[in-house]
Amino acid sequence: MPGSVYVTGIGRGDGRQLVELGVMELLTRTVDRVGLFRPLAHDGRSDQVVELLRARYRLSQPADEILGLDYQRAAALLAERGMDELVTELVRRYHRVADAYEVVLVLGTDYADTQLPAELTLNARLANEFGAPVLPVVAGVDQDGEAIAAEVRNAHNAFAALGCDVLAMVANRVPDAETGATLEALADRLPVPVSVLPDDPTLAAPTVAQVARALGAETVLGDHAGLARDVRDFVFGGATLPTFLAALTEGALVITPGDRADLLVGALAAHSAGSPPIAGVLLTLGERPDEATTRLAARLAPGTPVLSVAAGSFVTATELSGLEGQLTAATPRKAELALGLFETHVDTAALAGRLAVARGDRVTPMMFEHGLIERARTDRRHVVLPEGTEERVLRAAEVLLRRGVCDLTLLGEEPAVRRRAAELGLDLALLGADEAAEGTGPVARVVDPVASPLRERFAEVYARLRAHRGVSEELAYDVVSDVSYFGTLMVNEGLADGMVSGAAHSTAATIRPAFEVIRTKPDAAIVSSVFFMCLADRVLVYGDCAVNPDPDAAQLADIAVQSARTAAEFGVEPRVAMLSYSTGTSGSGPDVDKVREATELVRAARPELLVEGPIQYDAAVEPSVAATKLPESEVAGQATVLVFPDLNTGNATYKAVQRSAGAVAVGPVLQGLRKPVNDLSRGALVQDIVNTVAITAVQAQEAAARTRKDASA
């Protein structure tokens, strides 16, 4: 196992931060304790990539431990004592990090005003001294395929000649039209894998907030979401309003003198109408609109940024020339886009194999989340999201598409969904219900339940399923226009593999249609739920904490069996603890007797399953307590599936552990349904939605596998 991986370049402008992010993603999927080391840094400058990696991957490593020497001090040491002394000092600082972590990601020099000679040679020597394989990144900006391929070969040969173990080569920021030619020119020409990543204009686009910082602009109007929009174009306003409106482009930042209230109002009105949605407006010359115009602007396009600078339009344009987007801790969306690009164009499985990092026994929250994403990607499924205009759902949809997790259907009025996505500056490339998809990548469609031709078909199906309740087709026609019912019927009819809802709907609104339409599996007595509780070093499964208030013994046994099956599906070896306030035979009473009876029912139904009950929580998870209370048990002290006697106990416990122990709670995950439908908390974060959709996709994979198995039996 290498003690580190050294990502480096051969010059400026290679965008290697994307590769550094991708490699860190690979390492944290496998290893719990990943360290970070940048041998040389700029004194006084904020290291945006280091801060991004620390924030995204929850690194507790102190920032001053990550940085070796600043360039000024390194140049002085080089001048006074020579290269050997400089390298010796950096090696000493590196080992201070390497000794404390399982693997270290090393970030090479940035070739920007470093005052150091022969930086490529220095990076190669440091990699050799650290015992780290190198992953060189070559810039492909504004070059053709042959030229890029030649540069990649030259870079490989240079590092190999300096004695480096070259892990792989990456050509980054390659013009989209040249990616095929570059790959063809490099085919079988090097002894290591080569990846070619296209230049993505979304990553190169600065956000409105980055423009504001670069210019020292004042924010007149705008919220956090508006300032996070990408600036994809600049439109300079000076013409009459009709001519100006015709020049607007999607994602443009309008730059106009501050006294042109007509252009300000016109641009915001066009944005509000979605024709086209702009990134914001930048007012020059230090002029500000009057109070009445400002109030109108705020009402026309709430949240849309309006900035003000003292300089004129020409000076402002000069300052903005060459400004590019950055991957920072403040731009998590760009990080997701970058990872999507990396995972699409890099053979991550092959690269992970060459890294040869041994997987440990510990499973951290991040490893569990990574595992969900990877499993979902292996056999892409189709998930319907009924809350198509909800901001968090749309942001999650962009992440899911970029990471290749699944195909999506967003429900809602198509113009409203498209307008909301554009307002948020999201790159979703939404398709209409009947539009053909190009390529083989994941797609997102928009379907309006009210206007969809499927509405009549679904009304017939729903009326047939609910005929025993007196539901007519006329009534069903109204019911199925509801997004939750429409999405559920898409799943029931095989037009989607699963559904996720609840960010803006109640649990009842999400689950009731599933109870009525999809119903339970033949081998499940009830629908129940589990939470995956991701602790610092392991994942526990808690059931049922969301659905059944007071299950009887038979229902409790069914919850245990279903929870064990769910645990196994997601890589958690099931050892089931049937929880109570009493352990073994030490207590009696109706509550304990229910758990005792449920335990016996589980043993009768699944004799091969490891189960213990009744048992107290501490005896279930703590080996020292188990050794005293149940020394002969195969479950006590090492339980992975914890079944609570009632909803009150389960819900209170999962929230207490989540808040007090800092656990990541993934769920609730519904189990027992014939096809997967999952509920979200109305406070769900974007990452929670991404995780739940990935879980739903994996459940759909498992359901499809069972169907194939039954068909072949």
mmCIF file of all heavy atoms in Angstrom, residues 531 542-546 643-656:
data_model
loop_
_atom_site.group_PDB
_atom_site.id
_atom_site.type_symbol
_atom_site.label_atom_id
_atom_site.label_comp_id
_atom_site.label_asym_id
_atom_site.label_seq_id
_atom_site.Cartn_x
_atom_site.Cartn_y
_atom_site.Cartn_z
ATOM 1 N N PHE A 531 -33.414 3.225 10.091
ATOM 2 C CA PHE A 531 -32.405 4.258 9.892
ATOM 3 C C PHE A 531 -31.044 3.583 9.886
ATOM 4 O O PHE A 531 -30.779 2.695 10.706
ATOM 5 C CB PHE A 531 -32.435 5.291 11.021
ATOM 6 C CG PHE A 531 -33.483 6.344 10.865
ATOM 7 C CD1 PHE A 531 -34.750 6.167 11.393
ATOM 8 C CD2 PHE A 531 -33.214 7.522 10.197
ATOM 9 C CE1 PHE A 531 -35.726 7.129 11.262
ATOM 10 C CE2 PHE A 531 -34.186 8.497 10.049
ATOM 11 C CZ PHE A 531 -35.439 8.314 10.581
ATOM 12 N N TYR A 542 -31.263 0.790 12.831
ATOM 13 C CA TYR A 542 -32.303 0.957 13.845
ATOM 14 C C TYR A 542 -33.680 0.769 13.195
ATOM 15 O O TYR A 542 -33.993 1.408 12.192
ATOM 16 C CB TYR A 542 -32.276 2.378 14.421
ATOM 17 C CG TYR A 542 -31.199 2.699 15.411
ATOM 18 C CD1 TYR A 542 -30.123 1.844 15.655
ATOM 19 C CD2 TYR A 542 -31.244 3.894 16.123
ATOM 20 C CE1 TYR A 542 -29.138 2.182 16.567
ATOM 21 C CE2 TYR A 542 -30.254 4.240 17.044
ATOM 22 C CZ TYR A 542 -29.205 3.378 17.258
ATOM 23 O OH TYR A 542 -28.232 3.714 18.163
ATOM 24 N N GLY A 543 -34.515 -0.080 13.790
ATOM 25 C CA GLY A 543 -35.866 -0.241 13.282
ATOM 26 C C GLY A 543 -36.832 -0.478 14.431
ATOM 27 O O GLY A 543 -36.440 -1.033 15.449
ATOM 28 N N ASP A 544 -38.052 -0.071 14.384
ATOM 29 C CA ASP A 544 -38.676 0.833 13.439
ATOM 30 C C ASP A 544 -38.802 2.171 14.150
ATOM 31 O O ASP A 544 -39.381 2.241 15.228
ATOM 32 C CB ASP A 544 -40.033 0.254 13.056
ATOM 33 C CG ASP A 544 -40.883 1.176 12.195
ATOM 34 O OD1 ASP A 544 -40.382 2.204 11.740
ATOM 35 O OD2 ASP A 544 -42.062 0.864 12.002
ATOM 36 N N CYS A 545 -38.313 3.219 13.565
ATOM 37 C CA CYS A 545 -38.289 4.525 14.230
ATOM 38 C C CYS A 545 -39.192 5.540 13.552
ATOM 39 O O CYS A 545 -39.114 6.732 13.863
ATOM 40 C CB CYS A 545 -36.856 5.058 14.255
ATOM 41 S SG CYS A 545 -35.661 3.967 15.023
ATOM 42 N N ALA A 546 -40.047 5.099 12.607
ATOM 43 C CA ALA A 546 -40.801 6.095 11.846
ATOM 44 C C ALA A 546 -42.223 5.711 11.480
ATOM 45 O O ALA A 546 -43.005 6.599 11.157
ATOM 46 C CB ALA A 546 -40.036 6.421 10.556
ATOM 47 N N VAL A 643 -33.667 -3.526 17.150
ATOM 48 C CA VAL A 643 -35.102 -3.415 16.939
ATOM 49 C C VAL A 643 -35.740 -2.909 18.228
ATOM 50 O O VAL A 643 -35.628 -3.543 19.291
ATOM 51 C CB VAL A 643 -35.699 -4.774 16.530
ATOM 52 C CG1 VAL A 643 -37.212 -4.657 16.334
ATOM 53 C CG2 VAL A 643 -35.030 -5.275 15.254
ATOM 54 N N PHE A 644 -36.400 -1.754 18.125
ATOM 55 C CA PHE A 644 -37.002 -1.111 19.300
ATOM 56 C C PHE A 644 -38.418 -1.621 19.518
ATOM 57 O O PHE A 644 -39.127 -1.946 18.558
ATOM 58 C CB PHE A 644 -36.980 0.404 19.115
ATOM 59 C CG PHE A 644 -35.588 0.980 19.086
ATOM 60 C CD1 PHE A 644 -34.901 1.110 17.884
ATOM 61 C CD2 PHE A 644 -34.950 1.351 20.253
ATOM 62 C CE1 PHE A 644 -33.615 1.617 17.856
ATOM 63 C CE2 PHE A 644 -33.660 1.863 20.229
ATOM 64 C CZ PHE A 644 -32.987 1.996 19.032
ATOM 65 N N PRO A 645 -38.857 -1.662 20.770
ATOM 66 C CA PRO A 645 -40.169 -2.255 21.062
ATOM 67 C C PRO A 645 -41.341 -1.408 20.598
ATOM 68 O O PRO A 645 -42.441 -1.922 20.423
ATOM 69 C CB PRO A 645 -40.157 -2.403 22.587
ATOM 70 C CG PRO A 645 -39.175 -1.380 23.063
ATOM 71 C CD PRO A 645 -38.119 -1.308 22.000
ATOM 72 N N ASP A 646 -41.124 -0.106 20.398
ATOM 73 C CA ASP A 646 -42.212 0.762 19.942
ATOM 74 C C ASP A 646 -41.624 2.013 19.304
ATOM 75 O O ASP A 646 -40.425 2.302 19.425
ATOM 76 C CB ASP A 646 -43.149 1.130 21.090
ATOM 77 C CG ASP A 646 -42.408 1.723 22.279
ATOM 78 O OD1 ASP A 646 -41.735 2.757 22.096
ATOM 79 O OD2 ASP A 646 -42.487 1.150 23.376
ATOM 80 N N LEU A 647 -42.478 2.766 18.636
ATOM 81 C CA LEU A 647 -42.035 3.957 17.901
ATOM 82 C C LEU A 647 -41.519 5.039 18.845
ATOM 83 O O LEU A 647 -40.556 5.745 18.528
ATOM 84 C CB LEU A 647 -43.201 4.491 17.074
ATOM 85 C CG LEU A 647 -42.917 5.687 16.155
ATOM 86 C CD1 LEU A 647 -41.848 5.340 15.133
ATOM 87 C CD2 LEU A 647 -44.198 6.129 15.453
ATOM 88 N N ASN A 648 -42.152 5.178 19.989
ATOM 89 C CA ASN A 648 -41.738 6.192 20.943
ATOM 90 C C ASN A 648 -40.277 5.997 21.340
ATOM 91 O O ASN A 648 -39.465 6.931 21.310
ATOM 92 C CB ASN A 648 -42.647 6.127 22.176
ATOM 93 C CG ASN A 648 -42.311 7.191 23.203
ATOM 94 O OD1 ASN A 648 -42.245 8.362 22.874
ATOM 95 N ND2 ASN A 648 -42.093 6.774 24.437
ATOM 96 N N THR A 649 -39.923 4.761 21.687
ATOM 97 C CA THR A 649 -38.544 4.454 22.095
ATOM 98 C C THR A 649 -37.580 4.615 20.923
ATOM 99 O O THR A 649 -36.507 5.216 21.058
ATOM 100 C CB THR A 649 -38.460 3.019 22.641
ATOM 101 O OG1 THR A 649 -39.445 2.844 23.646
ATOM 102 C CG2 THR A 649 -37.087 2.726 23.200
ATOM 103 N N GLY A 650 -37.945 4.082 19.762
ATOM 104 C CA GLY A 650 -37.050 4.111 18.615
ATOM 105 C C GLY A 650 -36.774 5.509 18.124
ATOM 106 O O GLY A 650 -35.623 5.880 17.866
ATOM 107 N N ASN A 651 -37.830 6.317 17.990
ATOM 108 C CA ASN A 651 -37.652 7.661 17.461
ATOM 109 C C ASN A 651 -36.822 8.522 18.407
ATOM 110 O O ASN A 651 -35.932 9.269 17.989
ATOM 111 C CB ASN A 651 -39.021 8.300 17.198
ATOM 112 C CG ASN A 651 -38.913 9.559 16.372
ATOM 113 O OD1 ASN A 651 -38.743 10.646 16.903
ATOM 114 N ND2 ASN A 651 -38.985 9.418 15.053
ATOM 115 N N ALA A 652 -37.112 8.414 19.702
ATOM 116 C CA ALA A 652 -36.357 9.202 20.686
ATOM 117 C C ALA A 652 -34.895 8.779 20.711
ATOM 118 O O ALA A 652 -33.993 9.627 20.796
ATOM 119 C CB ALA A 652 -36.984 9.027 22.065
ATOM 120 N N THR A 653 -34.635 7.469 20.604
ATOM 121 C CA THR A 653 -33.256 6.985 20.679
ATOM 122 C C THR A 653 -32.442 7.397 19.467
ATOM 123 O O THR A 653 -31.308 7.860 19.593
ATOM 124 C CB THR A 653 -33.232 5.451 20.827
ATOM 125 O OG1 THR A 653 -33.983 5.079 21.977
ATOM 126 C CG2 THR A 653 -31.806 4.943 20.956
ATOM 127 N N TYR A 654 -33.033 7.253 18.265
ATOM 128 C CA TYR A 654 -32.237 7.594 17.080
ATOM 129 C C TYR A 654 -31.877 9.083 17.078
ATOM 130 O O TYR A 654 -30.757 9.468 16.713
ATOM 131 C CB TYR A 654 -32.947 7.153 15.795
ATOM 132 C CG TYR A 654 -33.544 8.231 14.938
ATOM 133 C CD1 TYR A 654 -32.746 9.054 14.143
ATOM 134 C CD2 TYR A 654 -34.933 8.426 14.890
ATOM 135 C CE1 TYR A 654 -33.303 10.044 13.350
ATOM 136 C CE2 TYR A 654 -35.498 9.409 14.104
ATOM 137 C CZ TYR A 654 -34.679 10.222 13.342
ATOM 138 O OH TYR A 654 -35.229 11.205 12.558
ATOM 139 N N LYS A 655 -32.823 9.928 17.520
ATOM 140 C CA LYS A 655 -32.527 11.362 17.548
ATOM 141 C C LYS A 655 -31.512 11.702 18.639
ATOM 142 O O LYS A 655 -30.655 12.577 18.452
ATOM 143 C CB LYS A 655 -33.817 12.149 17.737
ATOM 144 C CG LYS A 655 -34.697 12.131 16.499
ATOM 145 C CD LYS A 655 -35.935 12.998 16.630
ATOM 146 C CE LYS A 655 -36.707 13.011 15.314
ATOM 147 N NZ LYS A 655 -37.952 13.798 15.389
ATOM 148 N N ALA A 656 -31.576 11.004 19.760
ATOM 149 C CA ALA A 656 -30.599 11.241 20.829
ATOM 150 C C ALA A 656 -29.198 10.849 20.374
ATOM 151 O O ALA A 656 -28.220 11.581 20.590
ATOM 152 C CB ALA A 656 -30.997 10.444 22.076
#
